[in-house]
């Protein structure tokens, strides 16, 4: 998936948020936070989204680093969040809206070609931080179906390859889009995909629980045309 | 008929009395319980100086650790004395010392020589690896941006492929640094060539003799190397060498210079074209993980010294224009252009 498509994907979520606002006519003003831990610049993504957003009553902010996102989340308490599936496990105040059933992806485990999967339980794993550290260790272990205790967390995926090169970790875990980006940035580096994790849901929209009840959500979702869904799934 | 039957309300009175005593006991001891919980947390002692950058790092580390550990701060001033530091450590009995910058590291090393050693995590710039050589109880993160990171990040920005990189080094001190970066860059298809400025000896005159020879080759460097990376060696970056060697190199060689410090990339100096400086948030996260590992029983000598990850990229646009460098525009998004 290239960069353009991925930005478009987030942009589509934004349109859904606009639809929520329009069809549901819920808020006079709304806050949307996007947590997008990728190699993309959050500034650029934020500018793109702001330009494309028809409703000027929605304040958009995009974060690539979990700690920045976490801090702002507590401060702003936004109405909508677009984040990866892990967010629902760490925050109970928001409800994921299941309008994109079936949209799944994998994390990829990268390392040197001769590295064997059976050594994984004793490996040191490098991964981008996207939650509380203790929680994320359990989450990654579950995804990889293994019990690893040594983790190195970094703030952005750009820092994962140096972790491998500096021999600070044995393998790294990345999202599929980050893999493409890292491969193009570190053309000559000798890392390869060792295996894939279990499937996880892709990005989701989360709505603050006290803003919408289940009935409202269902009625709004049913108001989204099949054409909209078809366009989205074709991304 | 027993007493309770004669006075049925007494059962109730006893219950109220029991409840009263229990609640008072609990309320009275609530403060003690809270204090005990705080006391149960292990102590960490952060030794630092009043400085904007250090304060930011200290604040990130404190925020991450405070839910699990007591974080006490000890600020060093210009007249930092070993004796008061020693008293503070003995009073605090920390599970780990968090040492920010050279004076703190030096005090901890002295403490460990004279007392049963305490584990420490150090964050400092130049030569942390050298300072901690042979140390069993202190590990750390060096502030210096590795050559590998500088070169690979610069290569990502450039349209042209970076294949061969030159570094001038005082091998008596920096050969371990250049050797490790040479092997790392090799994995990315880049060759690092080190020229030892101490080829004729370590004296200033010996170094100058080598540099005079090298100056004669400035006009041919362009054909041989794509980039020159600068080691942050204060002796070799002294004002004399800077004026006599580095400035002519920058002006005549027509090869981009890259460095891990902002001052050398400033447009006013018009010297290096690209640089990376440590990112405080990234450094904080890295430090917190190291501190937690040490508290959880990992041996400091096994952790050793790590390089900083990440960093803030800086580009000297003026110098880039002078050298007619061509960049991948979409990669310049997160670069601070000066």
């Amino acid at each position: 998936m290239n960069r353009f498509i991925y930005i478009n994907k987030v942009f589509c979520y934004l349109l859904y948020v606009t639809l929520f606002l329009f069809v549901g006519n819920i808020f006079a003003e709304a806050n949307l936070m996007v947590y997008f831990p990728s190699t993309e610049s959050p500034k650029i993504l934020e500018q793109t989204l702001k330009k494309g957003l028809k409703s000027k009553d929605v304040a958009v902010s995009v974060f690539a680093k979990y700690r920045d996102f976490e801090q702002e989340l507590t401060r702003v308490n936004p109405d909508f969040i677009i984040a990866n599936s892990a967010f629902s496990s760490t925050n109970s105040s928001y409800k994921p809206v299941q309008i994109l059933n079936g949209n799944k992806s994998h994390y990829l485990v990268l390392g040197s070609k001769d590295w064997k999967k059976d050594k994984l339980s004793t490996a040191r794993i490098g991964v981008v931080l996207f939650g509380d550290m203790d929680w994320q260790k359990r989450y990654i272990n579950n995804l990889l179906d293994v019990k690893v205790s040594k983790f190195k967390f970094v703030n952005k995926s750009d820092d994962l390859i140096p972790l491998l090169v500096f021999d600070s970790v044995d393998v790294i875990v990345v999202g599929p889009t980050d893999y493409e980006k890292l491969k193009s940035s570190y053309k000559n580096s000798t890392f390869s995909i060792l295996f894939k994790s279990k499937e996880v849901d892709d990005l989701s929209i989360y709505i603050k629980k006290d803003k919408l009840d289940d009935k409202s959500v269902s009625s709004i979702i049913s108001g989204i045309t099949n054409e909209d869904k078809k366009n989205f799934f074709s991304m | 008929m027993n007493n309770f039957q004669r006075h049925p309300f007494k059962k109730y009175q006893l219950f109220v009395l029991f409840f009263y005593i229990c609640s008072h006991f609990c309320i009275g001891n609530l403060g003690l319980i809270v204090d005990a919980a705080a006391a149960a947390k292990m102590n960490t002692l952060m030794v630092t100086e009043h400085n904007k950058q250090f304060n930011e790092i200290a604040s990130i580390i404190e925020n991450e650790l405070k839910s699990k550990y007591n974080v006490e701060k000890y600020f060093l001033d210009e007249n930092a004395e070993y004796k008061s530091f020693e008293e503070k450590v003995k009073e605090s009995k920390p599970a780990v010392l968090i040492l920010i910058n050279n004076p703190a590291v030096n005090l901890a090393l002295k403490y460990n020589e004279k007392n049963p050693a305490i584990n420490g995590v150090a964050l400092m710039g130049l030569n942390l690896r050298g300072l901690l050589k042979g140390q069993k109880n202190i590990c750390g993160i060096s502030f210096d941006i590795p050559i590998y990171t500088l070169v690979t990040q610069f290569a990502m920005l450039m349209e042209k492929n970076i294949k061969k990189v030159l570094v001038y080094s005082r091998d008596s001190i920096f050969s371990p640094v250049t050797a490790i970066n040479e092997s790392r860059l090799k994995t990315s298809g880049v060759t690092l060539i080190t020229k030892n400025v101490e080829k004729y000896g370590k004296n200033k005159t010996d170094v100058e003799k080598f540099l005079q020879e090298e100056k004669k080759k400035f006009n041919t460097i362009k054909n041989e190397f794509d980039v020159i990376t600068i080691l942050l060696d204060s002796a070799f970056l002294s004002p004399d060498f800077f004026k006599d060697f580095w400035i002519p190199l920058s002006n005549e060689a027509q090869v981009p210079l890259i460095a891990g410090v902002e001052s050398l990339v400033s447009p006013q100096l018009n010297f290096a074209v690209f640089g990376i400086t440590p990112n405080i948030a990234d450094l904080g996260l890295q430090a917190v993980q190291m501190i937690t590992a040490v508290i959880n029983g990992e041996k400091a000598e096994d952790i050793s010294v790590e390089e900083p990850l990440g960093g803030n990229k800086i580009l000297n646009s003026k110098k880039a224009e002078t050298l007619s460098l061509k960049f991948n525009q979409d990669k310049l998004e997160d670069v601070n252009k000066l």
Side-chain angles (χ1 to χ4, degrees), chain B residues 200-240:
Chain B
Y200 298 115
K202 291 182 190 176
N203 292 333
K204 196 180 175 194
T205 48
D206 297 329
V207 173
E208 278 170 348
K209 185 184 170 192
F210 172 80
L211 296 180
Q212 284 308 316
E213 281 180 14
E214 208 48 30
K215 279 169 90 170
K216 290 172 193 163
K217 301 175 191 166
F218 277 177
N219 53 356
T220 58
I221 282 181
K222 194 180 179 181
N223 305 327
E224 221 180 321
F225 298 100
D226 302 306
V227 176
I228 300 170
T229 184
I230 303 165
L231 280 173
L232 296 183
D233 172 1
S234 52
F236 189 37
L237 285 169
S238 69
D240 285 350

Side-chain angles (χ1 to χ4, degrees), chain A residues 3 39-41 43-44 65 67-68 70-71 129 132-134 137 150-156 158-163 165-168 181-182 184-190, chain B residues 64 68 146 148-149 152-153 156 161-163 181 184-190 279 281-283 285-286 288-290 298 303 306-311 313 328 330-331 333-334:
Chain A
R3 172 178 177 249
T39 47
E40 296 303 335
S41 157
K43 265 189 224 162
I44 301 292
K65 292 185 178 179
R67 287 288 183 255
D68 297 342
E70 189 186 33
Q71 207 174 357
L129 184 74
D132 169 77
M133 285 187 205
D134 291 334
K137 284 177 189 175
K150 287 189 177 176
F151 282 83
K152 285 259 179 204
F153 295 104
V154 293
N155 275 324
K156 52 192 191 303
D158 271 340
D159 295 339
L160 289 171
I161 299 296
L163 270 185
V165 175
F166 297 168
D167 197 30
S168 297
K181 185 83 186 284
L182 292 174
S184 76
S185 297
Y186 292 86
K187 285 174 194 150
N188 298 312
S189 286
T190 52
Chain B
E64 291 279 347
K68 289 183 180 171
Y148 170 85
T149 307
T152 51
Q153 294 293 321
M156 278 178 211
N161 271 350
I162 304 291
K163 294 273 179 198
N181 280 287
R184 283 169 182 170
L185 283 170
K186 208 173 170 184
T187 65
S188 299
V190 179
N279 178 292
D282 295 342
L283 204 58
L285 177 64
Q286 202 177 347
V288 164
Q289 293 181 74
M290 193 178 274
E298 249 183 84
I303 299 172
E306 287 184 0
E307 320 264 11
L309 293 167
K313 293 170 233 171
N328 294 316
D330 63 324
K331 303 271 168 95
E333 284 160 1
D334 59 344

Side-chain angles (χ1 to χ4, degrees), chain B residues 47-276:
Chain B
V47 187
T48 183
E49 296 157 52
H50 283 295
N51 162 304
K52 192 183 167 220
Q53 198 185 24
F54 298 155
N55 287 347
E56 281 178 43
I57 298 173
S59 159
I60 288 172
I61 295 173
E62 186 180 9
N63 284 338
E64 291 279 347
L65 292 179
K66 68 184 177 190
S67 64
K68 289 183 180 171
Y69 309 105
N70 293 321
V71 184
E72 206 177 343
K73 283 185 189 165
Y74 180 74
F75 287 96
L76 301 175
D77 55 26
E78 285 175 5
N79 308 313
E81 280 182 14
Y82 171 73
K83 203 178 170 191
S84 54
F85 169 79
E86 187 181 39
E87 279 167 12
K88 183 68 199 172
V89 175
K90 284 181 175 169
E91 175 205 320
S92 176
K93 297 186 181 69
V96 65
L97 289 167
I98 303 161
L99 309 160
I100 302 179
N101 210 18
N102 305 42
V105 181
N106 288 327
L107 286 172
L109 289 172
K110 193 171 174 184
Y111 179 93
N112 279 357
E113 271 175 28
K114 292 171 178 264
N115 299 281
I118 290 186
N119 287 328
V121 171
L123 290 99
M124 63 168 256
L126 289 172
N127 206 21
L128 179 63
R129 208 175 282 275
L131 194 61
L132 297 185
K133 200 174 178 182
Q135 267 293 314
K136 290 189 173 176
N137 295 86
I138 301 178
C139 52
I141 304 164
S142 162
F143 286 171
D144 296 337
I145 300 293
I147 295 174
Y148 170 85
T149 307
L150 271 171
V151 172
T152 51
Q153 294 293 321
F154 184 63
M156 278 178 211
L157 303 181
M158 295 284 287
E159 271 188 10
K160 183 186 164 187
N161 271 350
I162 304 291
K163 294 273 179 198
K164 216 168 170 187
V165 178
L166 171 64
V167 62
Y168 289 103
S169 155
R170 285 194 297 147
D171 271 4
S172 62
I173 295 171
F174 288 96
S175 65
V177 175
T178 52
I180 197 167
N181 280 287
E182 190 185 323
S183 68
R184 283 169 182 170
L185 283 170
K186 208 173 170 184
T187 65
S188 299
V190 179
T191 309
L192 179 71
I193 303 289
T194 306
K195 291 197 177 185
N196 180 15
V197 299
E198 294 172 334
K199 184 181 170 186
Y200 298 115
K202 291 182 190 176
N203 292 333
K204 196 180 175 194
T205 48
D206 297 329
V207 173
E208 278 170 348
K209 185 184 170 192
F210 172 80
L211 296 180
Q212 284 308 316
E213 281 180 14
E214 208 48 30
K215 279 169 90 170
K216 290 172 193 163
K217 301 175 191 166
F218 277 177
N219 53 356
T220 58
I221 282 181
K222 194 180 179 181
N223 305 327
E224 221 180 321
F225 298 100
D226 302 306
V227 176
I228 300 170
T229 184
I230 303 165
L231 280 173
L232 296 183
D233 172 1
S234 52
F236 189 37
L237 285 169
S238 69
D240 285 350
F241 284 129
F242 204 78
K243 192 176 141 208
D244 295 339
F245 178 75
W246 288 107
I247 294 283
L249 174 70
S250 167
N251 293 336
E252 293 168 34
Q254 295 292 299
V255 176
L257 273 78
I258 59 177
V261 63
E262 188 171 349
S263 56
L264 294 181
V265 192
S266 80
Q268 288 78 18
L269 190 62
N270 207 26
F271 176 67
V273 73
F274 175 76
I276 303 181

Side-chain angles (χ1 to χ4, degrees), chain A residues 44-64:
Chain A
I44 301 292
L45 189 56
E46 192 174 294
Q47 282 164 10
T48 314
L49 295 179
K50 276 178 183 166
K51 269 184 209 164
L53 189 62
K54 285 173 188 165
S55 168
K56 299 298 170 199
D57 294 332
V58 182
V60 184
S61 41
V62 180
F63 300 88

